[in-house]
């Protein structure tokens, strides 16, 4: 499970949908009291950002025409975990050619002074 926490607009649909599914898994793990200390330690998840992130991802999914039928279940409020968004942006660009293209395009847009994405 990994929360990329980068701007959803620079994620390919595979990574966008993947992070969304993993958010639901994360909430499931919290509600079943599974041990997620490794994810917290490795900076993969940020519990205080789950709800906001789910809303962001769903908004982008809907913009791309995906149907979302899975409201996030309620879960205990916890704040643990810290994700390095800048490092994740680099990692996503390194491992996925589609995300890399979107990230590059967004940077061009920023240089053009139109929309600031990141
Ligand atoms: Zn959902
Ligand atoms: Zn990708």
């Amino acid at each position: 499970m990994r929360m990329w926490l980068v701007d959803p607009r620079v994620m390919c649909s595979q990574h966008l949908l993947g992070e969304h599914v993993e958010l639901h898994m994360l909430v499931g793990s919290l509600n079943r009291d599974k041990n997620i200390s490794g994810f917290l330690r490795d900076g993969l998840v940020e519990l205080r950002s789950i709800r906001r992130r789910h809303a962001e991802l769903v908004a982008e999914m809907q913009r791309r025409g995906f149907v979302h039928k899975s409201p996030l279940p309620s879960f205990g409020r916890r704040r643990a975990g810290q994700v390095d968004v800048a490092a994740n942006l680099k990692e996503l660009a390194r491992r996925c050619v589609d995300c890399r293209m979107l990230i590059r395009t967004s940077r061009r847009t920023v240089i053009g002074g139109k929309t600031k994405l990141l």
Side-chain angles (χ1 to χ4, degrees), residues 20-21 23-24 54 58 61 68-73:
H20 172 254
V21 165
L23 266 187
H24 279 267
H54 182 260
V58 168
M61 283 161 55
H68 179 260
K69 296 182 201 158
S70 51
L72 205 59

Side-chain angles (χ1 to χ4, degrees), residues 1 25-26 28-37 78:
M1 295 181 293
M25 286 169 50
L26 177 59
S29 298
L30 291 172
N31 284 341
R32 289 193 308 278
D33 254 338
K34 294 227 171 169
N35 181 3
I36 58 160
S37 58
R78 290 174 58 188

Side-chain angles (χ1 to χ4, degrees), residues 11-12 14-15 92 96 98-99:
M11 300 173 80
C12 73
Q14 190 188 326
H15 276 107
L92 207 50
C96 177
D98 293 328
C99 287

